[in-house]
């Protein structure tokens, strides 16, 4: 893929830009379900992710379901120039975001000092830098359409995570950034919601290196349910959405347990995954 030039197909150069919902990480898991739910609710969606075959399959499934054919942007969101390329490509197609869904991200299991440093820095770039760049880049068009931003975080962002220290910290950034940006953008009529799911059976676990996945009963949720809760929360202008009754307890834990005790409890769980 040549990210230095816009894709040849779908180029449009006349008329007012068409409002779309831009969804990153839309080739699997929660991203796929978010794309389907936005499409079901009348949004024309733009799917951005690295894997072209998977993106094409998702786009076709949405078209077959009777919704407008999604626009496909094959892009490696971890690249430093990815957001510039996305902006150029949208402009070339005469599209502008009315809603933005920052779903792309990944985690890594292991002690930070033992994991590859470059991999962890790349994770910060994707989970935090790319998300922030896209959130700030399209504020004008989001405000024109009185739309919003859905940033996918995690309940991991509420607690320390030895064994996944950098990942948990990156999701803490997403939550804090989203809540702060929400307040700043209120005068513009732009909604901002942080979606904080617990465990969701997706490709995330394999990518993170979690091979023996056994979650405490009641904490895991299907990707479709998580996506639907996130969509509803954004449309209802909620600051933070935590799907699942059990998961709603997690944000309260730091109020009742010292962080060093929480860290030990979390590490005990993650060590079992490491040793699996």
């Amino acid at each position: 893929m040549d990210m230095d030039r816009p894709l040849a197909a779908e180029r449009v150069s006349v008329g007012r830009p068409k409002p779309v919902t831009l969804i990153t990480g839309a080739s699997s898991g929660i991203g796929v379900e978010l794309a389907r739910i936005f499409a079901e609710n009348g949004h024309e969606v733009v799917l951005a992710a690295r894997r072209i075959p998977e993106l094409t399959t998702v786009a076709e499934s949405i078209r077959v379901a009777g919704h407008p054919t999604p626009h496909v942007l094959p892009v490696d969101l971890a690249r430093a120039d990815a957001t510039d390329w996305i902006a150029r490509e949208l402009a070339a197609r005469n599209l502008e975001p009315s809603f933005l869904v920052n779903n792309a991200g990944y985690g890594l299991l292991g002690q930070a000092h033992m994991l590859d440093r470059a991999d962890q820095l790349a994770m910060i770039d994707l989970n935090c830098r790319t998300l922030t760049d896209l959130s700030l880049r399209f504020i004008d068009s989001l405000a024109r359409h009185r739309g919003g931003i859905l940033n996918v975080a995690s309940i991991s962002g509420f607690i320390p995570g030895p064994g996944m220290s950098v990942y948990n910290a990156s999701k803490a950034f997403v939550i804090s950034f989203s809540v702060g940006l929400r307040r700043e953008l209120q005068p513009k009529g732009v909604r901002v919601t942080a979606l904080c799911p617990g465990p969701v059976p997706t490709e995330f676990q394999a990518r993170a290196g979690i091979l023996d996945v056994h979650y405490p009963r009641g904490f895991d949720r299907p990707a479709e349910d998580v996506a639907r809760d996130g969509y509803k929360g954004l449309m209802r202008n909620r600051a933070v959405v935590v799907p699942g009754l059990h998961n709603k307890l997690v944000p309260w834990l730091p109020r009742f347990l010292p962080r060093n005790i929480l860290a030990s409890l979390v590490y005990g769980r993650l060590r079992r995954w490491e040793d699996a």
Side-chain angles (χ1 to χ4, degrees), residues 143 146 180-191:
R146 299 188 71 81
L181 187 65
R182 177 178 185 269
R183 179 61 188 88
E184 294 175 357
L185 296 183
Q186 279 181 0
K188 295 180 177 291
V190 177
R191 289 159 276 186

Side-chain angles (χ1 to χ4, degrees), residues 172-203:
F173 169 85
V174 173
I175 296 169
S176 181
F177 171 69
S178 299
V179 173
L181 187 65
R182 177 178 185 269
R183 179 61 188 88
E184 294 175 357
L185 296 183
Q186 279 181 0
K188 295 180 177 291
V190 177
R191 289 159 276 186
V192 182
T193 297
L195 173 59
C196 303
V200 180
T202 64
E203 295 177 1

Side-chain angles (χ1 to χ4, degrees), residues 214-229:
H214 296 289
Y215 300 117
R217 182 177 300 176
F219 283 86
D220 58 328
R221 303 276 290 177
E224 181 180 357
D225 291 355
V226 169
R228 198 167 299 280
D229 286 350

Side-chain angles (χ1 to χ4, degrees), residues 3 14 16 32 35-36 40 66 73 80 120 125 128 132-133 147 169-170 181 196 202 214 216 222 254 257-258 269:
M3 287 175 53
V14 295
R16 181 174 298 177
V32 172
R36 289 174 176 159
E40 287 172 7
L73 294 184
Q120 293 182 90
D125 282 342
C128 301
T132 302
D133 189 334
S170 74
L181 187 65
C196 303
T202 64
H214 296 289
L257 291 175
R269 183 74 193 178

Side-chain angles (χ1 to χ4, degrees), residues 3 27 30 88 128 134 145 152 155 162 174 181 186 198 201 210 229 232 242 248 252 262-263:
M3 287 175 53
S27 61
I30 297 172
R88 291 198 306 270
C128 301
L134 290 174
H145 299 284
V152 179
I155 59 171
V174 173
L181 187 65
Q186 279 181 0
I210 302 172
D229 286 350
K232 289 179 181 178
V242 181
K248 293 184 192 302
W252 292 88
L262 273 176

Side-chain angles (χ1 to χ4, degrees), residues 126-170:
L126 181 58
N127 293 7
C128 301
R129 182 190 58 79
T130 299
L131 176 146
T132 302
D133 189 334
L134 290 174
S135 295
L136 300 179
R137 184 178 291 263
F138 295 116
I139 286 174
D140 287 346
S141 69
L142 299 176
R144 274 194 295 275
H145 299 284
R146 299 188 71 81
I149 303 170
L150 181 63
N151 286 331
V152 179
S154 168
I155 59 171
S156 298
F158 295 110
I159 55 177
M164 294 186 77
S165 295
V166 176
Y167 172 75
N168 281 40
S170 74

